[in-house]
């Protein structure tokens, strides 16, 4: 019988436990969230006459954890409604819930005796065959399961999520010696296909893979910072995006993780390591110990290495001076190597510029990189049998763009090892073996396939999921059909093509429109259907704003008018195709990016899709069919055929608010709620499977007998509806919520979505609304304040309220 997880239970409702419950709810799994029974009443409970026997009191801890999910940032829930899938309880009254669960996850305090007590309770109440796992970040899985029955042990393993569970990709799977291979295999596949994670199989060694290497890297950073006398500002400038790491760099990451949590992880390695080097390196600096003692733990306590304060100008973020433990204003950071790296092309060149420079910043990064690379290589095969698992764990758990061995390739193995030898370092056997074989890199790539150096001196193909489509690899395999400066058309196989954007930030320009038209003709002739998708940082952030502003300033509106007209023609062309088209958005899908999605019949979105028509932020309105499409989609929800006609105004007003307030979804699921996506559009669970899922949707639509979309008409709310929208806009202006120019822009949006100067109930076509949209766009482009907003967005990256 096929194993399924229909219901889960999470024991422990702290930040991590509640976050895991939220992630399970996000993928549609009903989940029990259990915690201990309180031993004391709160003042409010006493005031309300409750006792320690009251259910509200006994479930309070879990209920608080559940309610916190609505307040935390970033949001643990994809949509607030997912909270309904979480049922709270306590570990005295509701142990029977464990018998309903197919998977029970322990997320309690990192103490072995406490965990063993929990597992004794679980074993007494679970059903045979249910999977039990621990979210431990480093306690031995074998130690935890000791003393349990053979059947329990066969179904027990470690499942280490990273915080926040919704956003961080890594799920470490750690079997014990007694875990059934079938359970391990199931959880590896379940983690990828149902939870949407990148699963890495780990050995039961201290702190497993990611925390073992990642925490070592953090400790190296602290030690080098102290040795060279660098500041928090300097370290974060050197350890962020410029080296392929998250914006949170080092010290913002400490604040997000929690200094107490980090201290526990580092201390765990030091206490459980037999190697003097590890014991010394994992000692916490005095200033970090003092911060933990002060309860300056980072985000959760309001201050850590950073602290936000109110000033006369608004808010200011201060930085901790680690010498005095006092906060001060942030300082601008400059090192010659850092400044040069910012202009270098590609991450490998940036890294080489930094580590081989001649200033304190370079010395800091060279020593930090050197120690982490040597440490990672020395830990294979202790913590993992292959370098791929190490690289993936670090990339997926800590958000690094390159793992340790990929980093080594980027800076040059031969060159860096030669320098390490000169500095008296011991080179690990794995690296010596690589160089002795005559090879100079840990990874080799040919014909779209990647091979990794393995223990034993050979290369093995890096296995990827069948559901992961790699566009770059397909192009290397000769699957490129046509390309220009802004886009490419690629054969995905099975009769499906992919239109990929390749322009900077995937911004829309004439080159993309040209290839999109070619794609329509090519797919009609030779393919079953088309996917519109790419694998950039974001799907599409809209039109090329710099180009648009330049044309406006050159008084060349004809070029922009032509761009809009051509996009409208492209939309009509795609609607008339006899082949299904699916858009696959992810990340930032803004303005024109949403309108690109509206070229398609259906949308297959990533779970993290931030979709919105945001043109009002630069003083414009959506002109690539976005205003029209949101209006027509709103009217699809107006009930017809009843005895009493339904007023369409509320439906139009909701769509108008989306555009006028530049609402952006916080997930793919919320994009549906806002009306940017339809109910029959789909959301992939795993972002890595997005193009595969979109391709499968194209094939399914073809099998079902696809037919082109028919032209549509609607009855607009007309002049009276426009008057109502204008009254609302005017009220916002009089109340001081919006500026004069906001009022003008919003009024243009309202005019288009009302259908212009026609009576209410007038039937209009899509082309009629598109013409209103085009004219309003061109009128707003000529407004000086709109041009100021465009200029400000390009210069500052945020809207101007003028």
């Amino acid at each position: 019988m096929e194993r399924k997880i229909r219901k889960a239970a999470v024991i422990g409702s702290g930040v991590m436990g509640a976050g895991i419950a939220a992630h399970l709810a996000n993928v549609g799994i009903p989940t029990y969230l259990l915690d201990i029974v309180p031993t004391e009443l709160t003042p409010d409970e006493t005031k309300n006459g409750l006792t320690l026997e009251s259910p509200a009191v006994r479930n309070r801890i879990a209920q608080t954890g559940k309610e916190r999910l609505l307040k935390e940032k970033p949001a643990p829930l994809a949509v607030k409604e997912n909270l309904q899938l979480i049922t709270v309880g306590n570990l005295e009254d509701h142990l029977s819930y464990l018998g309903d669960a197919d998977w029970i996850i322990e997320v309690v305090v990192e103490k072995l005796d406490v965990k063993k007590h929990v597992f004794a309770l679980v074993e007494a109440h679970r059903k045979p065959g249910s999977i039990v796992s621990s979210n431990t970040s480093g306690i031995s899985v074998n130690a935890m399961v000791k003393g349990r029955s053979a059947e329990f042990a066969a179904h027990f393993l470690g499942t280490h999520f990273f915080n926040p569970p919704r956003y961080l990709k890594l799920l470490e799977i750690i079997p014990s010696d007694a875990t059934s291979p079938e359970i391990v295999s199931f959880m590896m596949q379940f983690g990828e296909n149902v939870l949407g994670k990148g699963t890495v199989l780990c050995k039961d060694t201290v702190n497993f893979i990611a925390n073992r290497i990642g925490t070592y890297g953090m400790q190296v950073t602290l030690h080098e910072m102290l040795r060279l006398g660098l500041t928090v500002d300097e370290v974060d400038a050197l350890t962020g995006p410029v080296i392929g790491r998250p914006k949170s760099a080092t010290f913002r990451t400490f604040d997000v993780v929690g200094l107490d949590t980090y201290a526990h992880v580092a201390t765990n390695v030091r206490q459980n390591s037999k190697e003097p080097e590890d014991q010394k390196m994992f000692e916490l600096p005095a200033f970090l110990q003092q911060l933990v003692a002060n309860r300056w733990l980072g985000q959760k306590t309001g201050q850590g290495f950073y602290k936000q304060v109110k000033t006369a100008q608004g808010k200011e973020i201060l930085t901790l001076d680690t010498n005095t433990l006092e906060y001060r204003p942030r300082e601008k950071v400059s090192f010659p190597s850092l400044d040069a790296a910012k202009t270098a092309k590609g991450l490998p060149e940036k890294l080489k510029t930094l580590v081989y420079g001649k200033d304190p910043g370079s010395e800091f990064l060279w020593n930090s990189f050197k120690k982490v690379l040597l440490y990672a290589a020395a830990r294979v095969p202790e913590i993992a049998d292959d370098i791929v698992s190490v690289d993936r764990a670090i990339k997926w758990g800590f958000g690094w763009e390159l793992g340790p061995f990929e980093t080594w390739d980027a800076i040059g193995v031969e060159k860096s090892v030669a320098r390490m030898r000169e500095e008296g370092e011991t080179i690990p056997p794995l690296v010596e073996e690589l160089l002795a074989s005559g090879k100079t890199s840990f990874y080799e790539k040919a014909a779209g396939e990647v091979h990794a150096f393995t223990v034993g001196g050979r290369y093995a193909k890096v296995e990827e999921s069948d559901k992961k489509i790699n566009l770059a690899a397909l192009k290397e395999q000769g699957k490129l059909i046509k390309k220009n400066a802004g886009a490419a058309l690629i054969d995905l196989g099975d009769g499906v093509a992919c239109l990929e954007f390749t322009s900077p930030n995937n911004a829309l320009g004439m080159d993309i429109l040209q290839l999109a038209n070619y794609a329509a003709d090519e797919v009609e002739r030779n393919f079953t259907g088309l996917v519109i998708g790419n694998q950039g940082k974001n799907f599409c952030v809209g039109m090329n704003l710099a180009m648009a502003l330049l044309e406006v300033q050159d008084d060349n509106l004809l070029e922009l008018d032509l761009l809009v007209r051509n996009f409208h023609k492209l939309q009509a062309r795609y609607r008339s195709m006899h082949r299904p088209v699916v858009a696959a958005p992810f990340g930032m899908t803004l303005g024109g990016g949403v309108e690109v999605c509206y070229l398609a019949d259906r949308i297959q979105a990533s779970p993290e899709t931030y979709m919105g028509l945001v043109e009002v932020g630069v003083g414009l309105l959506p002109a690539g069919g976005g205003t029209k499409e949101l209006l027509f989609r709103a009217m699809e929800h107006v009930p017809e055929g009843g005895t009493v006609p339904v007023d369409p105004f509320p439906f139009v007003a909701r769509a108008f608010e989306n555009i006028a307030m530049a609402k952006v979804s916080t997930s793919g699921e919320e994009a549906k709620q806002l009306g940017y996506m339809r109910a029959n559009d789909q959301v992939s669970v795993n972002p890595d499977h997005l193009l595969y899922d979109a391709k499968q949707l194209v094939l399914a639509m073809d099998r079902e007998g696809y037919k082109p979309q028919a032209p549509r008409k609607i009855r607009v709310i007309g002049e009276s509806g426009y008057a109502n929208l204008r009254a609302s806009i005017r009220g916002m202006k009089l109340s001081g919520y919006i500026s004069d120019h906001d009022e003008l822009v919003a009024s243009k949006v309202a005019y288009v979505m009302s259908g212009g100067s026609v009576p209410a109930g007038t039937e209009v076509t899509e082309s009629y609304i598109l013409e209103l949209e085009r004219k309003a766009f061109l009128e707003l482009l000529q407004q000086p304040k709109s041009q100021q907003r465009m200029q400000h967005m390009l210069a500052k990256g945020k809207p101007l309220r003028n």
Side-chain angles (χ1 to χ4, degrees):
M1 187 174 70
E2 184 182 3
R3 181 179 291 276
K4 290 184 180 295
I5 305 293
R6 295 183 176 87
K7 192 171 288 187
V10 176
I11 301 175
S13 62
V15 171
M16 198 67 194
I20 291 172
H23 187 67
L24 294 172
N26 286 337
V27 299
I29 299 175
T31 302
Y32 296 115
L33 182 61
L34 308 180
D35 215 311
I36 60 173
V37 175
T39 56
E40 294 180 351
L41 294 172
T42 65
D44 282 345
E45 288 168 343
T46 302
K47 181 180 176 181
N48 292 328
L50 300 178
T51 71
L52 289 174
E53 298 306 313
S54 301
V57 175
R58 295 177 70 79
N59 294 339
R60 183 225 305 154
I61 296 176
Q63 182 65 30
T64 300
K66 177 180 176 178
E67 292 172 356
R68 193 174 57 243
L69 295 173
L70 295 173
K71 304 172 185 176
E72 288 183 359
K73 301 292 182 183
L77 296 163
V79 290
K80 293 179 180 178
E81 288 75 8
N82 287 346
L83 197 69
Q84 298 169 8
L85 289 174
I86 300 174
T87 301
V88 301
N90 66 72
L91 288 172
E92 293 181 14
D93 304 327
H94 303 109
L95 287 170
S96 61
Y97 288 174
L98 301 179
D100 292 339
D102 303 299
W103 180 22
I104 301 164
I105 314 163
E106 167 272 309
V107 199
V108 302
V109 64
E110 287 285 87
K111 292 183 178 180
L112 180 59
D113 58 338
V114 177
K115 291 180 183 291
K116 288 178 74 71
H117 171 72
V118 168
F119 294 132
L121 287 175
V122 170
E123 183 163 22
H125 293 85
R126 65 182 277 269
K127 62 184 177 184
S130 65
I131 296 171
V132 183
S133 70
S134 172
N135 186 62
T136 180
S137 59
I139 294 178
S140 168
V141 176
N142 281 291
M144 283 190 282
V145 78
K146 188 175 181 180
R148 304 267 64 83
S149 69
E151 195 273 341
F152 184 100
H155 293 83
F156 179 80
L157 72 168
T159 51
H160 182 209
F161 289 82
F162 277 65
N163 192 31
R166 172 182 163 185
Y167 300 95
L168 283 185
K169 182 175 178 177
L170 179 61
L171 175 62
E172 291 182 317
I173 303 292
I174 314 103
S176 76
D177 296 339
T179 308
S180 162
E182 180 265 324
I183 296 298
V184 176
S185 176
F186 171 80
M187 288 304 296
M188 290 287 287
Q189 295 301 315
F190 176 80
E192 177 184 345
N193 295 323
V194 179
L195 299 179
K197 295 298 180 184
T199 53
V200 172
L201 186 62
C202 301
K203 297 185 178 183
D204 189 20
T205 54
V206 59
N207 279 44
F208 316 128
I209 298 177
N211 273 344
R212 181 74 174 273
I213 304 298
T215 306
Y216 182 87
M218 300 287 264
Q219 286 295 110
V220 168
T221 298
L222 294 175
H223 284 273
E224 286 300 310
M225 169 193 177
L226 290 172
R227 188 179 70 82
L228 293 169
L230 300 184
T231 66
V232 167
D233 290 317
E234 289 172 327
V235 170
D236 271 3
L238 290 164
T239 57
V242 73
I243 63 168
R245 307 282 172 82
K247 288 182 180 179
S248 55
T250 297
F251 291 103
R252 286 190 185 280
T253 299
F254 276 127
D255 280 359
V256 171
V257 169
L259 273 62
D260 54 340
T261 301
Y262 174 80
H264 174 83
V265 172
T267 301
N268 184 53
V269 180
R270 184 171 56 82
Q271 291 176 344
N272 289 282
S273 178
K274 298 176 182 178
E275 300 177 25
E277 179 196 355
D278 275 9
Q279 292 172 355
K280 182 178 180 181
M281 182 56 71
F282 282 93
E283 288 180 1
L284 297 173
F287 69 80
L288 200 149
Q289 294 182 49
Q290 188 59 52
L291 291 177
V292 173
N294 291 352
R295 302 295 295 171
W296 296 359
L297 305 178
Q299 240 175 42
K300 58 187 174 185
T301 59
Q303 65 186 101
F305 288 105
Y306 290 92
K307 180 181 180 181
Q308 183 173 281
V309 296
K310 291 182 179 179
T311 66
Q313 291 73 37
K315 295 178 181 178
E316 182 181 5
I317 296 176
L318 303 179
T319 311
L320 185 77
D321 184 322
T322 55
N323 294 313
T324 64
L325 295 189
E326 294 177 350
Y327 292 94
R328 54 166 177 73
R330 288 181 291 180
E331 298 172 346
K332 187 174 181 181
V333 176
S334 178
F335 293 106
S337 61
L338 179 61
D339 298 337
K342 289 177 179 177
T343 61
K345 290 187 177 180
L347 184 55
E349 289 306 312
K350 291 180 188 293
L351 294 178
K352 290 173 187 173
T353 301
L354 285 163
V355 300
Y356 297 126
K358 301 296 183 182
D359 55 55
S362 288
E363 183 181 354
F364 165 79
L365 283 175
W366 165 255
N367 283 321
S368 299
F369 274 50
K370 176 181 70 173
K371 291 178 180 178
V372 172
L373 299 184
L374 291 170
Y375 186 80
R379 299 281 82 77
V380 177
E382 176 200 343
I383 63 174
D385 289 327
D386 57 272
I387 66 171
V388 176
S389 293
V390 175
D391 278 348
R392 284 177 172 173
I394 291 296
K395 289 192 294 183
W396 296 345
F398 283 80
W400 294 13
E401 195 170 327
L402 298 176
F405 297 98
E406 292 169 326
T407 298
W408 216 328
D409 282 355
I411 66 172
V413 178
E414 278 189 310
K415 182 177 180 178
S416 60
V417 168
R419 181 173 171 182
M420 291 173 187
R421 291 192 204 279
E422 290 175 5
E423 295 173 356
E425 300 291 351
T426 300
I427 308 303
L430 179 71
V431 186
E432 294 282 22
E433 192 174 21
L434 173 76
L435 296 174
S437 71
K439 300 292 186 178
T440 58
S441 64
F442 286 101
Y443 290 92
E444 290 185 341
K445 187 162 65 171
E449 287 189 351
V450 179
H451 293 76
F453 190 75
T454 65
V455 176
R458 63 184 183 86
Y459 285 84
K461 181 183 176 182
V462 176
E463 298 297 333
E464 295 282 6
S465 166
D466 293 339
K467 296 180 179 179
K468 185 174 181 179
I469 293 175
N470 186 317
L471 295 179
L474 287 175
K475 285 186 275 190
E476 290 177 11
Q477 294 164 13
K479 302 296 184 181
L480 177 66
I481 301 167
K482 187 180 180 65
K483 73 172 183 177
N484 63 19
L489 187 64
I490 304 163
D491 186 350
L492 297 182
D494 300 318
V496 181
C498 177
L499 177 62
E500 176 196 30
F501 297 169
T502 58
S503 61
N505 297 317
N506 294 335
L508 297 174
M510 289 299 291
D511 45 9
I512 288 179
L513 299 190
Q514 289 167 1
L515 200 67
N517 273 302
Y518 171 85
D521 294 336
E522 177 67 15
V523 169
E524 286 266 40
R525 288 192 299 263
N526 299 314
F527 286 85
T528 299
L530 178 69
V531 169
I532 304 175
N534 62 76
Q535 292 175 322
K537 184 178 180 181
N538 294 296
F539 177 72
C540 179
V541 295
M543 126 179 113
N544 186 329
L545 195 60
M547 177 275 293
L549 182 60
L550 185 63
E551 298 290 1
V552 171
Q553 291 173 339
D554 287 347
D555 200 23
N556 190 9
L557 285 181
L558 287 177
E559 192 69 28
L560 294 173
D561 188 16
L562 181 63
L563 179 66
V564 172
R565 290 178 184 273
N566 284 340
F567 201 95
H568 290 172
K569 289 179 182 177
L570 182 68
Q571 191 175 76
R573 174 73 183 90
Y574 270 61
R575 285 185 175 278
S576 66
M577 285 175 65
H578 288 76
R579 301 287 185 267
V581 180
V582 173
F586 61 93
M588 303 302 285
T589 302
L590 305 176
V594 178
E595 292 168 323
V596 166
C597 292
Y598 294 159
L599 296 175
D601 302 285
R602 298 274 294 277
I603 293 174
Q604 180 78 43
S606 170
E608 299 307 321
T609 300
Y610 314 123
M611 184 177 278
L613 293 166
V614 297
E615 284 85 349
V616 297
V618 289
L620 304 174
L621 57 66
T627 308
K628 177 270 300 180
E629 190 63 26
L630 221 58
L631 170 63
F632 271 72
R633 290 179 178 222
M635 296 299 287
E636 290 173 1
H637 296 286
V638 180
E640 294 182 355
T643 55
V644 179
V646 176
D647 182 6
F649 180 82
F651 298 88
V652 176
R654 183 170 178 258
F656 164 76
E657 283 182 8
N658 279 354
I659 297 176
M661 298 177 68
K663 290 184 179 180
V664 177
S665 71
T666 60
S667 67
E669 288 294 340
E670 193 182 36
K672 285 188 177 185
Q673 291 186 346
L674 290 175
Y676 292 125
M677 290 166 55
R678 290 192 172 101
N680 66 345
D681 289 329
Q682 299 180 8
V683 178
S684 293
V685 172
N686 191 321
D688 287 347
H689 300 173
L690 180 61
L691 291 180
Y692 173 88
D693 292 342
K695 175 183 170 181
Q696 299 311 308
L697 182 55
V698 166
L699 295 172
M701 293 168 68
D702 177 67
R703 287 193 300 270
E704 292 164 4
Y706 174 78
K707 293 181 181 179
Q709 298 182 45
R712 298 174 293 174
K713 293 181 179 180
I714 57 168
R715 296 189 183 278
V716 294
I717 59 175
E719 292 172 318
S720 59
Y722 174 63
N724 288 335
L725 289 175
R726 279 286 294 128
S728 177
I729 296 167
R730 190 61 183 162
M732 295 279 285
K733 170 63 178 61
L734 294 174
S735 300
Y737 290 112
I738 61 175
S739 67
D740 288 340
H741 195 57
D742 290 328
E743 181 181 15
L744 173 64
V745 175
S747 297
K748 292 290 186 184
V749 175
Y751 184 77
V752 175
M753 299 193 84
S754 302
S757 301
V758 297
T762 300
E763 188 175 72
V764 301
T765 62
E766 292 182 77
S767 59
Y768 170 80
I769 299 295
L770 285 174
E771 185 62 11
L772 292 179
E773 182 183 276
R774 182 186 67 82
K775 289 179 178 178
F777 173 74
L778 294 174
E779 289 168 4
L780 287 172
L781 267 176
Q782 298 175 73
Q783 293 290 324
K785 287 189 175 181
S786 288
Q787 295 170 27
Q788 290 169 13
R789 290 188 177 191
M790 295 166 72
Q791 183 70 55
H792 189 271
M793 178 63 74
L794 287 169
K796 304 291 185 181
K798 56 185 179 181
L800 170 69
R801 297 300 303 274
N802 59 348

